[in-house]
Amino acid sequence: MTDKSKYAKELFLDGYGCAQAVLLAFREELNINKETAQLIASSFGGGMGRMREVCGCASGMFMVAGLKCGPLDHKDLKAKEEHYRLIQLLAEDFKKETGSLICRELLGISNKLPSEPAPQPRTPQYYKKRPCADMVALAAEILQKRLFKEN
């Protein structure tokens, strides 16, 4: 486990959302302040607003990738293609380890019924029944390997 993956996991265990923990772990390298990173990622926890759609860990990875190497020229189709290829590689790495990018599938929630927007208290029981802390660490590890090349 890399320093970034440990740090991201610590952030999650401290109460930050999954997307926030991933983005905050890389905020210094991205030259973004803590408050801005928290706000940018705040809507993506719980599979986007606790709707259990795209995993917040994956969303956090994609935010980091966009901030680090997203194309600035909106008309540069080649740059967009290269960036989307990177996003697909990140997604593939994550799915290879977890089996899915979908929050409800990762949590073993079988229905698509709307989830209550109220977050659950972070108790020891909460952490026991969720793989999120390890997935936050995985997302940071993938980013470290693909974008920051630290061993």
Side-chain angles (χ1 to χ4, degrees):
M1 192 181 288
T2 65
D3 288 344
K4 289 297 181 186
S5 59
K6 288 178 192 172
Y7 182 46
K9 186 173 184 173
E10 287 171 13
L11 289 165
F12 181 79
L13 293 173
D14 190 41
Y16 288 98
C18 43
Q20 286 176 318
V22 174
L23 182 55
L24 282 166
F26 292 92
R27 72 175 186 78
E28 290 179 6
E29 291 83 353
L30 300 169
N31 197 27
I32 185 171
N33 70 55
K34 183 178 181 181
E35 293 77 19
T36 301
Q38 281 179 249
L39 291 171
I40 288 170
S42 66
S43 302
F44 295 85
M48 301 190 176
R50 216 163 174 271
M51 293 186 296
R52 307 300 186 207
E53 296 294 338
V54 175
C55 172
C57 303
S59 295
M61 277 195 317
F62 305 152
M63 284 182 237
V64 170
L67 287 165
K68 175 148 175 66
C69 51
L72 288 174
D73 182 354
H74 64 284
K75 294 184 180 185
D76 185 344
L77 298 182
K78 184 67 176 163
K80 284 184 181 183
E81 177 185 351
E82 289 172 15
H83 187 67
Y84 292 161
R85 182 174 288 114
L86 170 63
I87 297 306
Q88 290 180 11
L89 283 171
L90 294 171
E92 183 180 306
D93 289 350
F94 191 81
K95 286 193 302 187
K96 193 181 299 178
E97 295 294 322
T98 64
S100 181
L101 288 176
I102 305 301
C103 177
R104 83 176 79 68
E105 293 173 4
L106 295 167
L107 295 179
I109 299 170
S110 59
N111 63 36
K112 280 188 155 187
L113 296 175
S115 183
E116 290 294 319
Q120 294 178 330
R122 299 282 186 94
T123 63
Q125 194 62 19
Y126 172 94
Y127 292 114
K128 279 184 184 178
K129 63 181 181 176
R130 284 180 171 69
C132 306
D134 290 332
M135 286 190 282
V136 164
L138 172 64
E141 201 163 308
I142 291 167
L143 286 166
Q144 199 68 56
K145 178 182 130 194
R146 290 274 183 197
L147 298 183
F148 296 92
K149 307 292 187 205
E150 181 179 297
N151 297 323

PDB file of all heavy atoms in Angstrom, residues 2-35:
ATOM      1  N   THR A   2       0.622   2.175  -0.891  1.00  0.00           N
ATOM      2  CA  THR A   2       1.413   3.398  -0.989  1.00  0.00           C
ATOM      3  C   THR A   2       1.029   4.389   0.113  1.00  0.00           C
ATOM      4  O   THR A   2      -0.009   4.243   0.763  1.00  0.00           O
ATOM      5  CB  THR A   2       1.197   4.081  -2.351  1.00  0.00           C
ATOM      6  OG1 THR A   2      -0.164   4.515  -2.430  1.00  0.00           O
ATOM      7  CG2 THR A   2       1.521   3.158  -3.509  1.00  0.00           C
ATOM      8  N   ASP A   3       1.859   5.401   0.292  1.00  0.00           N
ATOM      9  CA  ASP A   3       1.541   6.447   1.269  1.00  0.00           C
ATOM     10  C   ASP A   3       0.217   7.120   0.921  1.00  0.00           C
ATOM     11  O   ASP A   3      -0.571   7.438   1.805  1.00  0.00           O
ATOM     12  CB  ASP A   3       2.653   7.494   1.317  1.00  0.00           C
ATOM     13  CG  ASP A   3       3.913   6.974   1.987  1.00  0.00           C
ATOM     14  OD1 ASP A   3       3.844   5.932   2.682  1.00  0.00           O
ATOM     15  OD2 ASP A   3       4.966   7.600   1.820  1.00  0.00           O
ATOM     16  N   LYS A   4      -0.017   7.348  -0.352  1.00  0.00           N
ATOM     17  CA  LYS A   4      -1.260   8.007  -0.777  1.00  0.00           C
ATOM     18  C   LYS A   4      -2.473   7.132  -0.486  1.00  0.00           C
ATOM     19  O   LYS A   4      -3.521   7.632  -0.080  1.00  0.00           O
ATOM     20  CB  LYS A   4      -1.224   8.361  -2.269  1.00  0.00           C
ATOM     21  CG  LYS A   4      -0.290   9.492  -2.599  1.00  0.00           C
ATOM     22  CD  LYS A   4      -0.724  10.774  -1.933  1.00  0.00           C
ATOM     23  CE  LYS A   4       0.223  11.894  -2.305  1.00  0.00           C
ATOM     24  NZ  LYS A   4      -0.073  13.120  -1.588  1.00  0.00           N
ATOM     25  N   SER A   5      -2.346   5.832  -0.711  1.00  0.00           N
ATOM     26  CA  SER A   5      -3.495   4.964  -0.436  1.00  0.00           C
ATOM     27  C   SER A   5      -3.769   4.897   1.060  1.00  0.00           C
ATOM     28  O   SER A   5      -4.928   4.894   1.491  1.00  0.00           O
ATOM     29  CB  SER A   5      -3.306   3.577  -1.052  1.00  0.00           C
ATOM     30  OG  SER A   5      -2.166   2.946  -0.571  1.00  0.00           O
ATOM     31  N   LYS A   6      -2.719   4.871   1.881  1.00  0.00           N
ATOM     32  CA  LYS A   6      -2.908   4.905   3.334  1.00  0.00           C
ATOM     33  C   LYS A   6      -3.568   6.206   3.758  1.00  0.00           C
ATOM     34  O   LYS A   6      -4.474   6.212   4.598  1.00  0.00           O
ATOM     35  CB  LYS A   6      -1.562   4.748   4.054  1.00  0.00           C
ATOM     36  CG  LYS A   6      -0.982   3.362   3.978  1.00  0.00           C
ATOM     37  CD  LYS A   6       0.371   3.337   4.673  1.00  0.00           C
ATOM     38  CE  LYS A   6       1.096   2.048   4.366  1.00  0.00           C
ATOM     39  NZ  LYS A   6       2.474   2.062   4.850  1.00  0.00           N
ATOM     40  N   TYR A   7      -3.095   7.312   3.201  1.00  0.00           N
ATOM     41  CA  TYR A   7      -3.637   8.625   3.549  1.00  0.00           C
ATOM     42  C   TYR A   7      -5.107   8.743   3.126  1.00  0.00           C
ATOM     43  O   TYR A   7      -5.948   9.214   3.891  1.00  0.00           O
ATOM     44  CB  TYR A   7      -2.789   9.722   2.908  1.00  0.00           C
ATOM     45  CG  TYR A   7      -3.228  11.122   3.239  1.00  0.00           C
ATOM     46  CD1 TYR A   7      -3.543  11.492   4.551  1.00  0.00           C
ATOM     47  CD2 TYR A   7      -3.310  12.092   2.248  1.00  0.00           C
ATOM     48  CE1 TYR A   7      -3.946  12.782   4.854  1.00  0.00           C
ATOM     49  CE2 TYR A   7      -3.706  13.382   2.550  1.00  0.00           C
ATOM     50  CZ  TYR A   7      -4.026  13.724   3.848  1.00  0.00           C
ATOM     51  OH  TYR A   7      -4.424  15.002   4.136  1.00  0.00           O
ATOM     52  N   ALA A   8      -5.420   8.293   1.925  1.00  0.00           N
ATOM     53  CA  ALA A   8      -6.812   8.337   1.452  1.00  0.00           C
ATOM     54  C   ALA A   8      -7.711   7.508   2.369  1.00  0.00           C
ATOM     55  O   ALA A   8      -8.812   7.942   2.732  1.00  0.00           O
ATOM     56  CB  ALA A   8      -6.896   7.830   0.008  1.00  0.00           C
ATOM     57  N   LYS A   9      -7.245   6.353   2.762  1.00  0.00           N
ATOM     58  CA  LYS A   9      -8.023   5.495   3.661  1.00  0.00           C
ATOM     59  C   LYS A   9      -8.222   6.176   5.017  1.00  0.00           C
ATOM     60  O   LYS A   9      -9.324   6.151   5.578  1.00  0.00           O
ATOM     61  CB  LYS A   9      -7.332   4.145   3.829  1.00  0.00           C
ATOM     62  CG  LYS A   9      -8.133   3.131   4.616  1.00  0.00           C
ATOM     63  CD  LYS A   9      -7.468   1.766   4.585  1.00  0.00           C
ATOM     64  CE  LYS A   9      -8.313   0.723   5.285  1.00  0.00           C
ATOM     65  NZ  LYS A   9      -7.744  -0.628   5.121  1.00  0.00           N
ATOM     66  N   GLU A  10      -7.172   6.804   5.537  1.00  0.00           N
ATOM     67  CA  GLU A  10      -7.283   7.539   6.799  1.00  0.00           C
ATOM     68  C   GLU A  10      -8.321   8.655   6.696  1.00  0.00           C
ATOM     69  O   GLU A  10      -9.103   8.876   7.625  1.00  0.00           O
ATOM     70  CB  GLU A  10      -5.931   8.131   7.188  1.00  0.00           C
ATOM     71  CG  GLU A  10      -4.921   7.137   7.670  1.00  0.00           C
ATOM     72  CD  GLU A  10      -3.530   7.739   7.834  1.00  0.00           C
ATOM     73  OE1 GLU A  10      -3.385   8.992   7.818  1.00  0.00           O
ATOM     74  OE2 GLU A  10      -2.576   6.960   7.973  1.00  0.00           O
ATOM     75  N   LEU A  11      -8.311   9.364   5.575  1.00  0.00           N
ATOM     76  CA  LEU A  11      -9.279  10.443   5.375  1.00  0.00           C
ATOM     77  C   LEU A  11     -10.700   9.894   5.390  1.00  0.00           C
ATOM     78  O   LEU A  11     -11.594  10.469   6.022  1.00  0.00           O
ATOM     79  CB  LEU A  11      -9.004  11.173   4.057  1.00  0.00           C
ATOM     80  CG  LEU A  11      -7.753  12.053   4.027  1.00  0.00           C
ATOM     81  CD1 LEU A  11      -7.389  12.410   2.590  1.00  0.00           C
ATOM     82  CD2 LEU A  11      -7.952  13.305   4.866  1.00  0.00           C
ATOM     83  N   PHE A  12     -10.911   8.774   4.711  1.00  0.00           N
ATOM     84  CA  PHE A  12     -12.237   8.168   4.700  1.00  0.00           C
ATOM     85  C   PHE A  12     -12.645   7.749   6.108  1.00  0.00           C
ATOM     86  O   PHE A  12     -13.769   8.013   6.553  1.00  0.00           O
ATOM     87  CB  PHE A  12     -12.294   6.970   3.744  1.00  0.00           C
ATOM     88  CG  PHE A  12     -13.648   6.337   3.698  1.00  0.00           C
ATOM     89  CD1 PHE A  12     -14.670   6.903   2.949  1.00  0.00           C
ATOM     90  CD2 PHE A  12     -13.920   5.195   4.425  1.00  0.00           C
ATOM     91  CE1 PHE A  12     -15.932   6.330   2.929  1.00  0.00           C
ATOM     92  CE2 PHE A  12     -15.176   4.615   4.409  1.00  0.00           C
ATOM     93  CZ  PHE A  12     -16.194   5.188   3.659  1.00  0.00           C
ATOM     94  N   LEU A  13     -11.738   7.103   6.806  1.00  0.00           N
ATOM     95  CA  LEU A  13     -12.038   6.639   8.163  1.00  0.00           C
ATOM     96  C   LEU A  13     -12.255   7.798   9.136  1.00  0.00           C
ATOM     97  O   LEU A  13     -12.889   7.636  10.173  1.00  0.00           O
ATOM     98  CB  LEU A  13     -10.929   5.714   8.671  1.00  0.00           C
ATOM     99  CG  LEU A  13     -10.818   4.379   7.935  1.00  0.00           C
ATOM    100  CD1 LEU A  13      -9.584   3.605   8.394  1.00  0.00           C
ATOM    101  CD2 LEU A  13     -12.081   3.549   8.097  1.00  0.00           C
ATOM    102  N   ASP A  14     -11.753   8.978   8.763  1.00  0.00           N
ATOM    103  CA  ASP A  14     -11.969  10.183   9.571  1.00  0.00           C
ATOM    104  C   ASP A  14     -13.326  10.828   9.293  1.00  0.00           C
ATOM    105  O   ASP A  14     -13.707  11.771   9.969  1.00  0.00           O
ATOM    106  CB  ASP A  14     -10.836  11.183   9.327  1.00  0.00           C
ATOM    107  CG  ASP A  14     -10.854  12.336  10.306  1.00  0.00           C
ATOM    108  OD1 ASP A  14     -11.094  12.108  11.510  1.00  0.00           O
ATOM    109  OD2 ASP A  14     -10.629  13.479   9.867  1.00  0.00           O
ATOM    110  N   GLY A  15     -14.047  10.325   8.279  1.00  0.00           N
ATOM    111  CA  GLY A  15     -15.386  10.838   8.009  1.00  0.00           C
ATOM    112  C   GLY A  15     -15.584  11.515   6.666  1.00  0.00           C
ATOM    113  O   GLY A  15     -16.706  11.881   6.316  1.00  0.00           O
ATOM    114  N   TYR A  16     -14.520  11.698   5.895  1.00  0.00           N
ATOM    115  CA  TYR A  16     -14.687  12.266   4.553  1.00  0.00           C
ATOM    116  C   TYR A  16     -15.380  11.251   3.661  1.00  0.00           C
ATOM    117  O   TYR A  16     -15.255  10.044   3.861  1.00  0.00           O
ATOM    118  CB  TYR A  16     -13.330  12.644   3.945  1.00  0.00           C
ATOM    119  CG  TYR A  16     -12.713  13.852   4.592  1.00  0.00           C
ATOM    120  CD1 TYR A  16     -11.747  13.713   5.575  1.00  0.00           C
ATOM    121  CD2 TYR A  16     -13.109  15.137   4.233  1.00  0.00           C
ATOM    122  CE1 TYR A  16     -11.185  14.816   6.189  1.00  0.00           C
ATOM    123  CE2 TYR A  16     -12.561  16.250   4.841  1.00  0.00           C
ATOM    124  CZ  TYR A  16     -11.591  16.080   5.814  1.00  0.00           C
ATOM    125  OH  TYR A  16     -11.040  17.183   6.420  1.00  0.00           O
ATOM    126  N   GLY A  17     -16.104  11.737   2.669  1.00  0.00           N
ATOM    127  CA  GLY A  17     -16.727  10.856   1.700  1.00  0.00           C
ATOM    128  C   GLY A  17     -15.671  10.167   0.854  1.00  0.00           C
ATOM    129  O   GLY A  17     -14.510  10.581   0.819  1.00  0.00           O
ATOM    130  N   CYS A  18     -16.080   9.122   0.156  1.00  0.00           N
ATOM    131  CA  CYS A  18     -15.130   8.337  -0.644  1.00  0.00           C
ATOM    132  C   CYS A  18     -14.466   9.189  -1.731  1.00  0.00           C
ATOM    133  O   CYS A  18     -13.243   9.159  -1.874  1.00  0.00           O
ATOM    134  CB  CYS A  18     -15.804   7.100  -1.213  1.00  0.00           C
ATOM    135  SG  CYS A  18     -17.447   7.365  -1.886  1.00  0.00           S
ATOM    136  N   ALA A  19     -15.237   9.951  -2.467  1.00  0.00           N
ATOM    137  CA  ALA A  19     -14.665  10.801  -3.513  1.00  0.00           C
ATOM    138  C   ALA A  19     -13.780  11.882  -2.899  1.00  0.00           C
ATOM    139  O   ALA A  19     -12.707  12.190  -3.430  1.00  0.00           O
ATOM    140  CB  ALA A  19     -15.774  11.424  -4.354  1.00  0.00           C
ATOM    141  N   GLN A  20     -14.224  12.446  -1.786  1.00  0.00           N
ATOM    142  CA  GLN A  20     -13.425  13.468  -1.113  1.00  0.00           C
ATOM    143  C   GLN A  20     -12.081  12.901  -0.664  1.00  0.00           C
ATOM    144  O   GLN A  20     -11.044  13.549  -0.835  1.00  0.00           O
ATOM    145  CB  GLN A  20     -14.162  14.001   0.114  1.00  0.00           C
ATOM    146  CG  GLN A  20     -15.321  14.910  -0.213  1.00  0.00           C
ATOM    147  CD  GLN A  20     -16.069  15.329   1.038  1.00  0.00           C
ATOM    148  OE1 GLN A  20     -16.305  14.519   1.935  1.00  0.00           O
ATOM    149  NE2 GLN A  20     -16.433  16.596   1.094  1.00  0.00           N
ATOM    150  N   ALA A  21     -12.088  11.713  -0.089  1.00  0.00           N
ATOM    151  CA  ALA A  21     -10.851  11.115   0.409  1.00  0.00           C
ATOM    152  C   ALA A  21      -9.843  10.906  -0.716  1.00  0.00           C
ATOM    153  O   ALA A  21      -8.646  11.181  -0.546  1.00  0.00           O
ATOM    154  CB  ALA A  21     -11.152   9.797   1.119  1.00  0.00           C
ATOM    155  N   VAL A  22     -10.312  10.459  -1.866  1.00  0.00           N
ATOM    156  CA  VAL A  22      -9.405  10.235  -3.001  1.00  0.00           C
ATOM    157  C   VAL A  22      -8.844  11.566  -3.497  1.00  0.00           C
ATOM    158  O   VAL A  22      -7.630  11.721  -3.661  1.00  0.00           O
ATOM    159  CB  VAL A  22     -10.117   9.471  -4.137  1.00  0.00           C
ATOM    160  CG1 VAL A  22      -9.228   9.376  -5.370  1.00  0.00           C
ATOM    161  CG2 VAL A  22     -10.534   8.075  -3.670  1.00  0.00           C
ATOM    162  N   LEU A  23      -9.706  12.543  -3.727  1.00  0.00           N
ATOM    163  CA  LEU A  23      -9.239  13.834  -4.235  1.00  0.00           C
ATOM    164  C   LEU A  23      -8.344  14.540  -3.215  1.00  0.00           C
ATOM    165  O   LEU A  23      -7.294  15.077  -3.568  1.00  0.00           O
ATOM    166  CB  LEU A  23     -10.428  14.721  -4.618  1.00  0.00           C
ATOM    167  CG  LEU A  23     -10.098  16.090  -5.207  1.00  0.00           C
ATOM    168  CD1 LEU A  23      -9.192  15.989  -6.423  1.00  0.00           C
ATOM    169  CD2 LEU A  23     -11.383  16.830  -5.560  1.00  0.00           C
ATOM    170  N   LEU A  24      -8.733  14.525  -1.953  1.00  0.00           N
ATOM    171  CA  LEU A  24      -7.927  15.192  -0.923  1.00  0.00           C
ATOM    172  C   LEU A  24      -6.537  14.584  -0.793  1.00  0.00           C
ATOM    173  O   LEU A  24      -5.568  15.287  -0.500  1.00  0.00           O
ATOM    174  CB  LEU A  24      -8.641  15.140   0.423  1.00  0.00           C
ATOM    175  CG  LEU A  24      -9.778  16.133   0.601  1.00  0.00           C
ATOM    176  CD1 LEU A  24     -10.624  15.774   1.819  1.00  0.00           C
ATOM    177  CD2 LEU A  24      -9.255  17.549   0.705  1.00  0.00           C
ATOM    178  N   ALA A  25      -6.409  13.299  -1.025  1.00  0.00           N
ATOM    179  CA  ALA A  25      -5.105  12.649  -0.915  1.00  0.00           C
ATOM    180  C   ALA A  25      -4.100  13.199  -1.921  1.00  0.00           C
ATOM    181  O   ALA A  25      -2.890  13.151  -1.683  1.00  0.00           O
ATOM    182  CB  ALA A  25      -5.250  11.135  -1.083  1.00  0.00           C
ATOM    183  N   PHE A  26      -4.586  13.744  -3.018  1.00  0.00           N
ATOM    184  CA  PHE A  26      -3.700  14.248  -4.081  1.00  0.00           C
ATOM    185  C   PHE A  26      -3.761  15.767  -4.239  1.00  0.00           C
ATOM    186  O   PHE A  26      -3.216  16.308  -5.190  1.00  0.00           O
ATOM    187  CB  PHE A  26      -4.063  13.577  -5.417  1.00  0.00           C
ATOM    188  CG  PHE A  26      -3.745  12.118  -5.438  1.00  0.00           C
ATOM    189  CD1 PHE A  26      -4.698  11.187  -5.067  1.00  0.00           C
ATOM    190  CD2 PHE A  26      -2.479  11.669  -5.799  1.00  0.00           C
ATOM    191  CE1 PHE A  26      -4.410   9.830  -5.061  1.00  0.00           C
ATOM    192  CE2 PHE A  26      -2.179  10.314  -5.801  1.00  0.00           C
ATOM    193  CZ  PHE A  26      -3.147   9.393  -5.429  1.00  0.00           C
ATOM    194  N   ARG A  27      -4.404  16.457  -3.312  1.00  0.00           N
ATOM    195  CA  ARG A  27      -4.638  17.881  -3.485  1.00  0.00           C
ATOM    196  C   ARG A  27      -3.359  18.699  -3.592  1.00  0.00           C
ATOM    197  O   ARG A  27      -3.294  19.661  -4.358  1.00  0.00           O
ATOM    198  CB  ARG A  27      -5.553  18.423  -2.404  1.00  0.00           C
ATOM    199  CG  ARG A  27      -4.922  18.523  -1.056  1.00  0.00           C
ATOM    200  CD  ARG A  27      -5.833  19.192  -0.034  1.00  0.00           C
ATOM    201  NE  ARG A  27      -5.139  19.400   1.211  1.00  0.00           N
ATOM    202  CZ  ARG A  27      -4.269  20.376   1.431  1.00  0.00           C
ATOM    203  NH1 ARG A  27      -3.997  21.252   0.489  1.00  0.00           N
ATOM    204  NH2 ARG A  27      -3.665  20.482   2.600  1.00  0.00           N
ATOM    205  N   GLU A  28      -2.334  18.332  -2.863  1.00  0.00           N
ATOM    206  CA  GLU A  28      -1.082  19.103  -2.924  1.00  0.00           C
ATOM    207  C   GLU A  28      -0.417  18.970  -4.288  1.00  0.00           C
ATOM    208  O   GLU A  28       0.045  19.960  -4.859  1.00  0.00           O
ATOM    209  CB  GLU A  28      -0.139  18.688  -1.805  1.00  0.00           C
ATOM    210  CG  GLU A  28      -0.639  19.145  -0.446  1.00  0.00           C
ATOM    211  CD  GLU A  28       0.271  18.723   0.695  1.00  0.00           C
ATOM    212  OE1 GLU A  28       1.363  18.159   0.441  1.00  0.00           O
ATOM    213  OE2 GLU A  28      -0.119  18.953   1.853  1.00  0.00           O
ATOM    214  N   GLU A  29      -0.390  17.748  -4.824  1.00  0.00           N
ATOM    215  CA  GLU A  29       0.199  17.538  -6.149  1.00  0.00           C
ATOM    216  C   GLU A  29      -0.581  18.262  -7.234  1.00  0.00           C
ATOM    217  O   GLU A  29      -0.042  18.609  -8.278  1.00  0.00           O
ATOM    218  CB  GLU A  29       0.243  16.039  -6.490  1.00  0.00           C
ATOM    219  CG  GLU A  29       1.215  15.235  -5.680  1.00  0.00           C
ATOM    220  CD  GLU A  29       0.687  14.805  -4.317  1.00  0.00           C
ATOM    221  OE1 GLU A  29      -0.412  15.232  -3.906  1.00  0.00           O
ATOM    222  OE2 GLU A  29       1.376  14.042  -3.645  1.00  0.00           O
ATOM    223  N   LEU A  30      -1.859  18.460  -6.986  1.00  0.00           N
ATOM    224  CA  LEU A  30      -2.731  19.123  -7.961  1.00  0.00           C
ATOM    225  C   LEU A  30      -2.821  20.628  -7.728  1.00  0.00           C
ATOM    226  O   LEU A  30      -3.506  21.327  -8.459  1.00  0.00           O
ATOM    227  CB  LEU A  30      -4.134  18.508  -7.898  1.00  0.00           C
ATOM    228  CG  LEU A  30      -4.200  17.016  -8.207  1.00  0.00           C
ATOM    229  CD1 LEU A  30      -5.576  16.459  -7.866  1.00  0.00           C
ATOM    230  CD2 LEU A  30      -3.846  16.757  -9.662  1.00  0.00           C
ATOM    231  N   ASN A  31      -2.147  21.094  -6.678  1.00  0.00           N
ATOM    232  CA  ASN A  31      -2.146  22.506  -6.329  1.00  0.00           C
ATOM    233  C   ASN A  31      -3.564  23.047  -6.118  1.00  0.00           C
ATOM    234  O   ASN A  31      -3.955  24.065  -6.692  1.00  0.00           O
ATOM    235  CB  ASN A  31      -1.398  23.330  -7.392  1.00  0.00           C
ATOM    236  CG  ASN A  31      -1.014  24.696  -6.874  1.00  0.00           C
ATOM    237  OD1 ASN A  31      -0.830  24.891  -5.668  1.00  0.00           O
ATOM    238  ND2 ASN A  31      -0.907  25.651  -7.776  1.00  0.00           N
ATOM    239  N   ILE A  32      -4.329  22.326  -5.302  1.00  0.00           N
ATOM    240  CA  ILE A  32      -5.700  22.710  -5.006  1.00  0.00           C
ATOM    241  C   ILE A  32      -5.861  22.746  -3.486  1.00  0.00           C
ATOM    242  O   ILE A  32      -5.361  21.866  -2.790  1.00  0.00           O
ATOM    243  CB  ILE A  32      -6.704  21.741  -5.686  1.00  0.00           C
ATOM    244  CG1 ILE A  32      -8.127  22.200  -5.496  1.00  0.00           C
ATOM    245  CG2 ILE A  32      -6.516  20.332  -5.252  1.00  0.00           C
ATOM    246  CD1 ILE A  32      -9.131  21.400  -6.328  1.00  0.00           C
ATOM    247  N   ASN A  33      -6.518  23.775  -2.986  1.00  0.00           N
ATOM    248  CA  ASN A  33      -6.644  23.865  -1.532  1.00  0.00           C
ATOM    249  C   ASN A  33      -7.672  22.875  -1.002  1.00  0.00           C
ATOM    250  O   ASN A  33      -8.526  22.385  -1.735  1.00  0.00           O
ATOM    251  CB  ASN A  33      -6.919  25.309  -1.078  1.00  0.00           C
ATOM    252  CG  ASN A  33      -8.295  25.790  -1.448  1.00  0.00           C
ATOM    253  OD1 ASN A  33      -9.314  25.172  -1.123  1.00  0.00           O
ATOM    254  ND2 ASN A  33      -8.346  26.915  -2.135  1.00  0.00           N
ATOM    255  N   LYS A  34      -7.545  22.601   0.288  1.00  0.00           N
ATOM    256  CA  LYS A  34      -8.366  21.575   0.927  1.00  0.00           C
ATOM    257  C   LYS A  34      -9.861  21.869   0.783  1.00  0.00           C
ATOM    258  O   LYS A  34     -10.645  20.976   0.455  1.00  0.00           O
ATOM    259  CB  LYS A  34      -7.981  21.451   2.398  1.00  0.00           C
ATOM    260  CG  LYS A  34      -8.718  20.371   3.140  1.00  0.00           C
ATOM    261  CD  LYS A  34      -8.253  20.286   4.583  1.00  0.00           C
ATOM    262  CE  LYS A  34      -9.000  19.183   5.299  1.00  0.00           C
ATOM    263  NZ  LYS A  34      -8.589  19.083   6.702  1.00  0.00           N
ATOM    264  N   GLU A  35     -10.263  23.088   1.038  1.00  0.00           N
ATOM    265  CA  GLU A  35     -11.684  23.437   0.996  1.00  0.00           C
ATOM    266  C   GLU A  35     -12.263  23.262  -0.404  1.00  0.00           C
ATOM    267  O   GLU A  35     -13.365  22.743  -0.568  1.00  0.00           O
ATOM    268  CB  GLU A  35     -11.901  24.870   1.487  1.00  0.00           C
ATOM    269  CG  GLU A  35     -11.594  25.074   2.958  1.00  0.00           C
ATOM    270  CD  GLU A  35     -10.093  25.153   3.277  1.00  0.00           C
ATOM    271  OE1 GLU A  35      -9.279  25.402   2.357  1.00  0.00           O
ATOM    272  OE2 GLU A  35      -9.736  24.943   4.450  1.00  0.00           O
TER     273      GLU A  35
END
